[in-house]
Amino acid sequence: MATELMGFEIGTLSAWLVWILPFAAAMIIPGIGKLSKHATGFVAVGFALMSALSAASMIPVALEAHELHHQIMWIESIGLKGGVLADPLSIIMANVVGWISFLIMIYSTGYMKGDKDIPRFWFWMMFFIGSMQLIVLSDNLLQVFFGWEGVGLASYALISFWYRDKKKDHVGVEGRTVLGMLDYYSPTHAGMKAFIMTKVGDVMMIAGMLLIFLFAGTFGFKELMGDTDWATAMAAQGLLVPAFVLLFGGAVGKSAQFPLNEWLLEAMTGPTAVSALIHAATMVKAGVFLVARIGPLVFALGAAGIMADQFFEIVAWVGAITALLLATQGMVNPEIKKVLAYSTGSQIGYMMMALGVAGLSHQYVDGYTAGFFHLISHAMFKASLFMAAGSLLHIVGSRFMTDMGGLKKQMKKTYAFMWAAGLGLMGAPFITTGFWSKDAIFAAVYESGNEWALPLYIIAVLTAVITAFYTTRMIGMVFFGKKSKHIEKMEEEGHHIHEASLSMWIPYGILAVLTIGVGLIGLSAEEGLHHLFTDYLEHSFGIHTEHAATVEASILPEFLQGLNPVALGSSLAAFSIGIGLGYIFYIGRWVDPVKFVNSNIFFYSIHKLFLNRWYLNAIIYWCFVAAPLWLARGIFRYFEKTAIDYGMNAGVQKAVGWSAKVIQGTQTGVSQSYLFVFGAGLLFVVLILLM
């Protein structure tokens, strides 16, 4: 049974230190940077390690299905408390964030070596880690929101890190336009775009928080579950689902889900270490974590008769649309970091789909476990892929995969690790974490039994095929075939293509090995997580799990007992088709993809649609940038210049001048005239009063 420990014990202290230590590092790094820029890296790595160790010290609490909950008075005038809630969900997430952050900080010591603004980099990275861990371990929505804004601020600062906007730091193809809008972005533009688009979601989130607070009188997660009268009152007024959907709006913005997904692609202007940490492994998972935090509450309310199915339908469909939408764009983009960014948004869509489907089925724990298991596995292999991509950019000096090619002999370690992590992304059968977590999502969707199960399942499988294809395409373009002209020119100029430094390849090598290592015991890992979350959901939310029938699974070999045969078959087929097509075009080079695309109008049109981002980005710019600017300029030209400048300045000026002349004409300078006018006026007033 879950145990709530209110005293300030050793375990509770660890929960506070997990997020306080990174903030402490951020505060001292600027001062240390004045003495030694080099030393700031040691401080960042050291504090990141201590934070990760603090998170690891709480693992026994999670494994025993206990929780640590400690509060302090925050705003005494309104009785508002702040605190930490370390339960199985937050402890697992804190360890994912903590240990991946630590590895990325080590990687950054090599990747950012020699950068003159390195203290600023370390400050924002540590500030980010602290803010992210604050989101994870907070026991109330208001405190979560402080961390939420913190990660948003750090994201903006790090996307715009190279604010001098040199061409090499842009993303997109210079001069390229879509529907008349430039598809080429500088770091400062990209940072502002991310800041504004995520703020749309943040405004929705705070509106949902305040709406709930208005009825519940609390932001606390434990308090909201302890007394649900507030939910009954909100449901009676039709406000319960809108409030939770508004909260989900914050998750849509932060996790780059449709329709607020377009900022993530431009976020690749930041250093690759930033992309790995913030825009692959942690911050973009904040939205998934938020849904995982509030989802059981919504489902428990449904079990109590307060229906909120619409919330889960919205979550599932937003995830499904995003998964397919971004996967298709990853098929055709020439920039390696953008391909991985598209992939990240797409895979987060999978997680959202699973969490949404969980609420639409009787077995809530199945979809819940699948979504969170995929979060964990994706954090490992995607952080590894991003760091490996950073090594390629670091060595080759170009973000375009067309400037690479034939690198497998000169960068053998990176080649091997990208294959390992890439197989995880593709869901290579039985040996990768990605296979087990994706198969679990397929099974959860297929077995959910709701009216949307079939279309959602088709989208999930189709997305898996595309994922395997674009991952194979990426590896094929980078490591196979002939060397590009860019590389040949580099070698002619005396540049030697070599493996990345030790501090760079070891971190992504560890994560790549874990992708395979954990994958080999993936079924046991998934079952362990399922059991852990079953206890957590039952004891914390009263969500009971039914014992599912296993008759259908009996046709499988003994070591696969418990898997859904349809889901398993779909996983195998999706992987085989995707990697097979990728091999034909980009590894075996049996078919030229350029000639294939140009072979008929259908393939050409589809390719153009995907390359132009389904025109969604351009439409957003037209509707929310170009149109408002056109309107503002029209107002300036036709209202301010005509009505204000001419009407007010010229018209009023003439009227005042004419009035002045009239009044001037009445000024005779004769005292008797003034007395006569005064007397007449006085008489007029008296007559008015007598009437």
Side-chain angles (χ1 to χ4, degrees):
M1 183 175 179
T3 303
E4 186 171 319
L5 305 176
M6 298 300 294
F8 202 82
E9 308 203 5
I10 297 299
T12 312
L13 178 62
S14 296
W16 285 97
L17 288 176
V18 168
W19 64 269
I20 289 176
L21 284 169
F23 279 131
M27 294 303 104
I28 66 175
I29 280 172
I32 293 175
K34 297 289 185 181
L35 303 174
S36 170
K37 289 184 178 181
H38 184 66
T40 57
F42 292 106
V43 173
V45 171
F47 274 80
L49 176 59
M50 288 190 289
S51 176
L53 289 171
S54 298
S57 69
M58 298 187 292
I59 291 177
V61 176
L63 295 178
E64 294 171 6
H66 291 176
E67 65 181 27
L68 304 167
H69 186 206
H70 182 260
Q71 292 181 317
I72 58 174
M73 185 57 68
W74 186 7
I75 305 175
E76 191 170 0
S77 59
I78 60 174
L80 187 64
K81 295 180 179 180
V84 290
L85 176 59
D87 54 15
L89 175 70
S90 58
I91 290 172
I92 294 171
M93 187 69 180
N95 276 277
V96 170
V97 173
W99 289 105
I100 289 182
S101 297
F102 169 63
L103 290 174
I104 292 174
M105 298 305 267
I106 294 175
Y107 172 86
S108 299
T109 60
Y111 187 83
M112 297 299 293
K113 186 177 182 180
D115 194 294
K116 63 180 181 180
D117 295 320
I118 193 67
R120 177 163 57 89
F121 173 83
W122 292 124
F123 169 83
W124 284 114
M125 290 288 272
M126 296 308 297
F127 182 87
F128 167 80
I129 296 172
S131 298
M132 185 66 200
Q133 295 286 33
L134 177 60
I135 291 173
V136 172
L137 290 163
S138 291
D139 77 332
N140 65 85
L141 280 168
L142 185 60
Q143 203 170 303
V144 165
F145 193 73
F146 274 82
W148 201 266
E149 293 304 290
V151 296
L153 179 61
S155 175
Y156 162 73
L158 288 165
I159 292 170
S160 307
F161 182 77
W162 286 314
Y163 62 87
R164 294 173 182 84
D165 287 349
K166 296 179 180 179
K167 284 187 177 181
K168 67 181 182 65
D169 300 323
H170 284 51
V171 294
V173 178
E174 185 175 2
R176 187 175 186 276
T177 60
V178 179
L179 295 181
M181 288 291 160
L182 192 65
D183 195 28
Y184 179 67
Y185 304 97
S186 66
T188 52
H189 181 105
M192 187 57 67
K193 180 177 181 179
F195 189 80
I196 292 172
M197 289 196 76
T198 54
K199 284 296 163 288
V200 174
D202 294 354
V203 170
M204 294 174 67
M205 180 178 174
I206 198 169
M209 288 167 45
L210 294 176
L211 195 58
I212 291 173
F213 182 79
L214 182 66
F215 283 84
T218 181
F219 292 107
F221 297 121
K222 300 287 289 183
E223 292 81 358
L224 289 172
M225 189 59 209
D227 181 3
T228 59
D229 289 344
W230 60 274
T232 304
M234 291 185 74
Q237 297 189 33
L239 293 174
L240 184 64
V241 172
F244 281 115
V245 170
L246 285 169
L247 282 178
F248 178 60
V252 168
K254 203 66 77 183
S255 291
Q257 297 294 281
F258 176 82
L260 299 177
N261 56 281
E262 292 300 327
W263 68 266
L264 183 60
L265 296 313
E266 276 66 71
M268 298 303 105
T269 56
T272 305
V274 172
S275 303
L277 176 63
I278 296 181
H279 305 122
T282 52
M283 186 192 89
V284 289
K285 305 288 175 50
V288 180
F289 179 79
L290 179 64
V291 175
R293 175 60 84 192
I294 66 174
L297 172 61
V298 181
F299 188 80
L301 293 175
I306 307 171
M307 300 306 294
D309 284 356
Q310 297 94 328
F311 170 77
F312 290 109
E313 289 177 358
I314 291 170
V315 173
W317 273 108
V318 166
I321 292 169
T322 307
L324 182 60
L325 181 74
L326 296 190
T328 57
Q329 297 173 56
M331 294 170 66
V332 298
N333 200 276
E335 298 176 62
I336 188 167
K337 284 178 66 177
K338 270 197 170 185
V339 170
L340 293 174
Y342 283 121
S343 174
T344 296
S346 176
Q347 296 300 302
I348 291 173
Y350 264 128
M351 301 167 207
M352 292 293 191
M353 187 196 309
L355 293 176
V357 163
L360 299 175
S361 63
H362 297 295
Q363 292 285 77
Y364 182 80
V365 69
D366 290 349
Y368 191 83
T369 302
F372 206 79
F373 186 28
H374 198 55
L375 182 152
I376 297 169
S377 62
H378 178 266
M380 289 191 294
F381 60 66
K382 187 54 66 66
S384 179
L385 284 169
F386 259 113
M387 286 189 280
S391 294
L392 292 167
L393 268 66
H394 202 69
I395 302 300
V396 177
S398 174
R399 62 184 180 274
F400 293 99
M401 293 184 289
T402 49
D403 287 335
M404 301 177 192
L407 293 175
K408 65 178 181 179
K409 292 182 179 179
Q410 291 146 304
M411 300 184 72
K412 294 180 180 179
K413 295 184 181 68
T414 299
Y415 169 68
F417 294 141
M418 282 197 79
W419 258 123
L423 287 172
L425 175 57
M426 289 186 274
F430 310 124
I431 61 168
T432 63
T433 56
F435 168 76
W436 299 109
S437 59
K438 199 170 292 186
D439 182 80
I441 292 174
F442 286 0
V445 174
Y446 183 78
E447 295 172 356
S448 62
N450 68 84
E451 60 181 318
W452 303 115
L454 182 59
L456 288 172
Y457 189 77
I458 292 171
I459 291 174
V461 175
L462 180 58
T463 301
V465 174
I466 297 172
T467 301
F469 173 79
Y470 68 63
T471 307
T472 309
R473 169 182 178 265
M474 176 184 68
I475 293 174
M477 291 182 71
V478 171
F479 294 105
F480 289 84
K482 297 179 180 178
K483 294 180 181 178
S484 66
K485 293 181 180 179
H486 174 77
I487 292 179
E488 290 177 348
K489 184 178 179 182
M490 286 181 65
E491 292 179 333
E492 289 173 2
E493 294 174 352
H495 297 285
H496 175 59
I497 304 298
H498 56 85
E499 189 57 79
S501 64
L502 202 67
S503 62
M504 290 173 67
W505 69 257
I506 285 182
Y508 61 79
I510 290 173
L511 292 173
V513 171
L514 282 174
T515 298
I516 302 297
V518 177
L520 293 174
I521 57 168
L523 185 57
S524 298
E526 196 272 336
E527 288 175 347
L529 195 64
H530 190 280
H531 177 72
L532 183 65
F533 280 143
T534 297
D535 291 342
Y536 164 66
L537 292 171
E538 182 174 354
H539 296 310
S540 296
F541 299 95
I543 299 174
H544 300 286
T545 301
E546 301 174 4
H547 294 288
T550 58
V551 176
E552 189 179 20
S554 63
I555 64 174
L556 296 173
E558 184 176 351
F559 78 100
L560 294 177
Q561 289 295 311
L563 296 181
N564 183 288
V566 176
L568 178 60
S570 299
S571 296
L572 296 174
F575 172 77
S576 302
I577 294 170
I579 196 172
L581 290 173
Y583 188 92
I584 289 170
F585 285 104
Y586 295 100
I587 295 181
R589 312 279 172 128
W590 301 338
V591 179
D592 186 338
V594 176
K595 291 181 179 179
F596 179 81
V597 166
N598 294 325
S599 62
N600 63 64
I601 189 65
F602 175 77
F603 292 127
Y604 176 80
S605 300
I606 291 294
H607 180 273
K608 188 175 182 181
L609 176 67
F610 294 166
L611 188 62
N612 290 339
R613 301 161 70 160
W614 291 72
Y615 298 99
L616 179 61
N617 186 63
I619 291 170
I620 288 173
Y621 270 89
W622 273 112
C623 293
F624 298 103
V625 180
L629 283 175
W630 176 83
L631 181 62
R633 287 166 183 155
I635 292 173
F636 173 75
R637 180 177 179 183
Y638 297 107
F639 180 73
E640 290 194 27
K641 294 194 71 174
T642 302
I644 305 289
D645 293 351
Y646 180 76
M648 295 297 292
N649 295 342
V652 173
Q653 181 182 1
K654 290 179 180 179
V656 171
W658 179 81
S659 301
K661 289 181 180 180
V662 172
I663 295 173
Q664 184 180 8
T666 66
Q667 305 303 307
T668 63
V670 179
S671 301
Q672 291 85 341
S673 299
Y674 298 148
L675 288 171
F676 174 77
V677 172
F678 176 75
L682 184 62
L683 179 62
F684 179 76
V685 171
V686 171
L687 290 172
I688 291 294
L689 293 173
L690 291 175
M691 290 177 66

